């Protein structure tokens, strides 16, 4: 086996434990079709296909079976034109760089969950209140809660400022309480006040890889575990980020910081290897 391929695979396996993913994601189509939130998300994706005229649904021929075949069509970029919208991502290109946002998606999200006229907030999380299991509180509809979390996770593509807050709230999808849905609604009120926020990718940059990392020592109120966080930049541009609860309890802030630094260095090495493989540096 080629050594570079082995290196990428090894780093990829390590990164799987670094990046945050929901443990409640369905394992197959059958499980997804049993969850109203996932059905709604799939319907929204299909509606996007229809609006963008990606495909046309036609009746199945009665005289033949259906075969799935990958089809490829080449386009001249001069005929297609400049990309301005792609799967709820709004793209604005200029001589200086590219700005990616989801303002239309935010407006639809806020309207969908009935918070269009709710009071705005300037930060996504209450800094004086830590979420916990809160098992004595009143339960809320888990389907609604998961739908809100899923919608916000999709929004993190252009709003990295809510990535940590949404990740913390996502931990309570199995048994959400009033305090949890209140925290999610606060995030939605925040994005409603930052509709036009997005990510700027500047052309005036360099190929230096940089990571900014931090950890909140014993920040989880349930098990006293810390949460690692990191933002990765290629020159001036944000290209990746992660937020994950650490696997062990750190007895000191120094140990919590060592763990997050180790995780970030692992991903930096993987990214460096990928960039070298593509001949960018």
């Amino acid at each position: 086996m080629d050594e570079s391929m082995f290196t990428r695979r090894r780093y990829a396996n390590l990164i799987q434990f670094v990046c945050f993913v929901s443990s409640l994601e369905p394992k197959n189509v059958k499980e997804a079709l049993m969850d109203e939130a996932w059905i709604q998300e799939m319907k929204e994706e299909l509606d996007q296909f229809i609006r963008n005229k990606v495909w046309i649904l036609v009746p199945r021929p009665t005289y033949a079976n259906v075969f799935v075949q990958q089809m490829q069509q080449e386009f001249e970029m001069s005929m297609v034109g400049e990309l301005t919208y792609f799967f709820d991502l709004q793209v604005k290109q200029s001589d200086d760089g590219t700005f990616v946002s989801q303002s239309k998606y935010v407006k639809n999200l806020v309207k969908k969950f009935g918070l269009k006229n709710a009071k705005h907030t300037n930060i996504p999380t209450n800094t004086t209140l830590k979420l916990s299991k809160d098992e004595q509180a009143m339960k809320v509809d888990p389907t609604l809660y998961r739908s809100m979390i899923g919608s916000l996770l999709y929004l993190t593509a252009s709003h990295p400022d809510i990535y940590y807050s949404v990740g913390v709230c996502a931990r309570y999808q199995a048994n959400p309480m009033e305090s949890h849905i209140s925290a999610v609604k606060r995030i939605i009120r925040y994005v409603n006040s930052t509709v036009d926020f997005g990510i700027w990718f500047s052309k005036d940059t360099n190929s230096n890889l940089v990571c900014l990392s931090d950890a909140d020592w014993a920040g989880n109120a349930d098990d006293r575990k810390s949460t690692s966080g990191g933002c990765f930049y290629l020159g001036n541009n944000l290209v990746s980020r992660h937020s994950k609860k650490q696997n062990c309890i750190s007895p000191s802030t120094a140990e919590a910081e060592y763990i997050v630094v180790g995780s970030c260095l692992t991903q930096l090495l993987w990214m460096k290897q990928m960039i070298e493989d593509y001949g960018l540096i």
Side-chain angles (χ1 to χ4, degrees):
M1 179 184 294
D2 182 75
E3 180 62 27
S4 63
M5 292 180 63
F6 173 77
T7 303
R8 288 197 297 273
R9 179 174 298 176
R10 181 178 62 189
Y11 286 141
N13 290 335
L14 290 171
I15 296 307
Q16 288 179 358
F17 298 98
V18 177
C19 300
F20 174 82
V21 293
S22 171
S23 60
L24 295 175
E25 183 174 345
K27 298 182 178 63
N28 49 53
V29 175
K30 183 178 180 180
E31 289 187 9
L33 292 176
M34 295 175 65
D35 191 321
E36 289 294 330
W38 278 96
I39 293 175
Q40 180 63 30
E41 291 300 322
M42 288 187 286
K43 182 179 181 300
E44 290 179 2
E45 287 292 329
L46 290 174
D47 289 343
Q48 282 290 336
F49 291 159
I50 295 173
R51 285 196 295 270
N52 293 324
K53 298 181 180 180
V54 176
W55 51 261
I56 300 174
L57 185 63
V58 297
R60 180 179 67 87
T62 56
Y63 54 83
N65 293 326
V66 178
F67 295 95
V68 179
Q69 180 179 3
Q70 183 178 358
M71 301 183 66
Q72 182 177 359
Q73 183 174 2
E74 297 182 357
F75 293 92
E76 292 290 339
M77 292 304 296
S78 59
M79 295 176 62
V80 176
E82 189 177 83
L83 178 66
T84 58
Y85 196 80
F86 181 76
F87 286 109
D88 288 316
L89 291 173
Q90 295 163 241
V91 182
K92 294 182 179 179
Q93 302 182 53
S94 68
D95 295 336
D96 298 325
T98 301
F99 182 70
V100 178
S101 64
Q102 291 174 281
S103 59
K104 293 181 180 178
Y105 179 83
V106 171
K107 293 175 183 177
N108 291 333
L109 184 153
V110 173
K111 182 179 179 181
K112 174 182 177 181
F113 296 113
L115 296 171
K116 182 178 180 180
N117 298 318
K119 183 179 178 181
H120 290 184
T121 180
N122 58 357
I123 54 175
T125 304
N126 187 336
T127 57
T128 62
L129 177 66
K130 289 186 177 181
L131 289 182
S132 64
K133 292 181 180 179
D134 200 13
E135 295 175 338
Q136 304 304 317
M138 184 176 294
K139 294 185 178 182
V140 297
D141 181 5
T143 300
L144 172 63
Y145 188 82
R146 293 169 190 170
S147 178
M148 298 170 82
I149 291 294
S151 298
L152 286 170
L153 283 173
Y154 187 70
L155 183 60
T156 60
S158 65
H159 281 63
D161 49 333
I162 66 170
Y163 191 67
Y164 169 77
S165 303
V166 176
V168 171
C169 292
R171 296 171 183 171
Y172 303 100
Q173 292 182 83
N175 193 29
M177 302 294 178
E178 276 192 334
S179 59
H180 306 141
I181 202 167
S182 295
V184 173
K185 288 181 178 179
R186 182 189 178 100
I187 300 174
I188 296 177
R189 290 191 290 118
Y190 168 75
V191 298
N192 193 24
S193 66
T194 57
V195 172
D196 296 322
F197 278 26
I199 300 180
W200 170 253
F201 296 98
S202 172
K203 291 183 179 179
D204 182 20
T205 186
N206 55 67
S207 58
N208 294 331
L209 275 173
V210 178
C211 175
L212 303 177
S213 65
D214 199 2
D216 68 332
W217 178 61
N220 189 282
D222 297 316
D223 53 21
R224 305 296 296 168
K225 290 183 179 180
S226 307
T227 298
S228 299
C231 294
F232 302 86
Y233 291 83
L234 181 60
N236 302 324
N237 300 321
L238 178 68
V239 293
S240 181
R241 75 276 190 197
H242 82 254
S243 175
K244 179 185 180 297
K245 187 168 67 172
Q246 296 180 359
N247 295 326
C248 59
I249 299 176
S250 301
S252 66
T253 56
E255 183 170 331
E257 294 288 351
Y258 279 129
I259 292 174
V260 66
V261 169
S263 297
C264 288
L265 285 175
T266 300
Q267 184 154 342
L268 277 177
L269 290 172
W270 176 77
M271 293 171 68
K272 181 176 182 293
Q273 183 66 54
M274 290 295 293
I275 292 174
E276 289 179 350
D277 289 346
Y278 284 113
L280 299 179
I281 57 174

